[in-house]
């Protein structure tokens, strides 16, 4: 009987950690997304100084969350986000509106995709 209680306790702890992790990923993603609307508007308007500052804020937010995300998600996803941030930053420095806008959209999609991918649902299981 004791073994069943121990197994159930461990299962509850694992499930609780999973739910906490997904909620934390969603919260972090929403926090990082707060500046993307203005970043995309600045890129579209050619306001490169404001876009550079907005991208710097995105980098700072990403750096703050990157270390713990590495413990719970695939490292390939982290590398892809790092490369997208580097490309957007360089495109903004080069004042390339088309490439900066496209890569910012890709970066936004990558960040939004991670919590969805980590959620437990039938699509992810099958």
């Amino acid at each position: 009987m004791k073994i069943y209680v121990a197994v159930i306790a461990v299962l509850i702890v694992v499930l609780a950690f999973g739910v906490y992790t997904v909620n934390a990923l969603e919260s972090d993603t929403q926090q990082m997304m707060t500046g993307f609307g203005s970043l995309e508007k600045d890129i579209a308007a050619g306001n490169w100084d404001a876009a550079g500052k907005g991208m710097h804020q995105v980098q700072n937010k990403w750096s703050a969350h990157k270390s713990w995300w590495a413990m719970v998600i695939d490292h390939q996803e982290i590398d892809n986000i790092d490369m997208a941030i580097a490309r957007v930053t360089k495109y903004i420095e080069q004042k390339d509106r088309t490439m900066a806008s496209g890569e910012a959209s890709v970066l936004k999609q990558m960040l939004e995709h991670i919590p969805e991918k980590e959620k437990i649902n039938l699509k992810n299981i099958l």
Side-chain angles (χ1 to χ4, degrees), residues 40-102:
E40 291 175 329
K41 288 177 186 174
D42 290 335
I43 291 170
N47 190 356
W48 300 112
D49 291 333
K53 289 177 185 176
M55 197 60 215
H56 185 69
Q57 289 175 348
V58 170
Q59 285 175 322
N60 288 341
K61 289 176 185 177
W62 172 242
S63 295
H65 300 299
K66 178 181 171 180
S67 60
W68 88 264
W69 279 35
M71 292 185 280
V72 296
I73 66 171
D74 183 19
H75 289 278
Q76 184 66 38
E77 296 280 348
I78 291 173
D79 292 341
N80 290 341
I81 292 169
D82 283 336
M83 287 187 288
I85 288 173
R87 285 192 294 263
V88 173
T89 302
K90 187 54 97 172
Y91 293 144
I92 289 172
E93 288 174 8
Q94 297 296 320
K95 299 179 181 174
D96 188 339
R97 184 177 297 158
T98 304
M99 295 300 288
S101 178

